[in-house]
Amino acid sequence: MVAAFVIPGRMFGPAAGMLLYVGDVAERRGARVHRHVWSQEPPSGFDAQLEGWVRSEIWEPLEQVGGHPLVIGKSLGTAGAAVAAQRSLPAVWLTPLLTVPWLAAALGRAGAPFLLVGGTADNFWDGDLARRLTPHVLEVEDADHGMRVPGSPAESIAVLARLVTAVEEFLDAIDWPE
């Protein structure tokens, strides 16, 4: 069975905001969507302890999903990049922590295609690095870590529509599911 595995960020659950809609894209393609919920409060900071904690949180649930799921992660959830790289899983990384060296290195080890989504007003985003890591990038001018842009809330909602389109195009480009 085709599956997608959603890894939330620190602030919102796996069925909120961007993660809800990206999961819906996978579901419309026939995937069973597994939404991970953190079992405890994540450690503070962005050192290697965080990577180990995320690994310990997602390893067994990913084993239970089985197969070759699409991984979808937001912010803190992008710390799962090392697991996705190790298992050669395709991924959609929303507002990845690109300025964290060990996370950028994990993305560099990826054996499967991935999409990076970020905004130029996000302190964790590095557009040049994103484009060196993958040809699949959605960079939104003036978007912050929540992919909100200045101005009317309708403008931020339009960013969400761009995100959904970018995910659909990425999945078409990699022929997912095969």
Side-chain angles (χ1 to χ4, degrees):
M1 162 161 247
V2 177
F5 188 80
V6 178
I7 312 170
R10 188 180 301 270
M11 299 287 293
F12 302 103
M18 293 179 274
L19 292 172
L20 172 68
Y21 292 103
V22 176
D24 285 352
V25 170
E27 190 171 48
R28 289 181 54 87
R29 289 171 174 256
R32 181 165 178 227
V33 179
H34 303 267
R35 297 182 187 278
H36 183 71
V37 176
W38 302 125
S39 68
Q40 57 188 324
E41 189 69 24
S44 60
F46 299 102
D47 58 16
Q49 178 187 2
L50 181 65
E51 180 180 26
W53 181 83
V54 170
R55 176 183 292 276
S56 71
E57 281 275 324
I58 67 171
W59 189 269
E60 186 59 34
L62 263 172
E63 285 284 316
Q64 292 173 3
V65 168
H68 208 71
L70 172 70
V71 177
I72 303 164
K74 163 80 172 92
S75 186
L76 170 66
T78 67
V83 173
Q86 182 177 353
R87 294 184 175 199
S88 293
L89 301 176
V92 174
W93 301 120
L94 308 170
T95 65
L97 308 175
L98 293 180
T99 59
V100 176
W102 56 261
L103 198 145
L107 290 168
R109 294 189 304 273
F114 59 92
L115 169 66
L116 295 176
V117 176
T120 61
D122 180 354
N123 292 333
F124 291 108
W125 181 253
D126 180 335
D128 291 334
L129 175 60
R131 287 180 286 280
R132 285 194 305 273
L133 289 168
T134 178
H136 308 286
V137 175
L138 171 62
E139 181 177 74
V140 178
E141 190 69 30
D142 296 324
D144 64 14
H145 195 63
M147 295 305 289
R148 292 178 304 262
V149 293
S152 164
E155 294 175 49
S156 294
I157 292 170
V159 170
L160 184 58
R162 287 177 59 193
L163 163 65
V164 168
T165 299
V167 171
E168 290 171 336
E169 290 172 350
F170 167 68
L171 296 178
D172 286 344
I174 67 167
D175 197 26
W176 189 90
E178 298 176 311

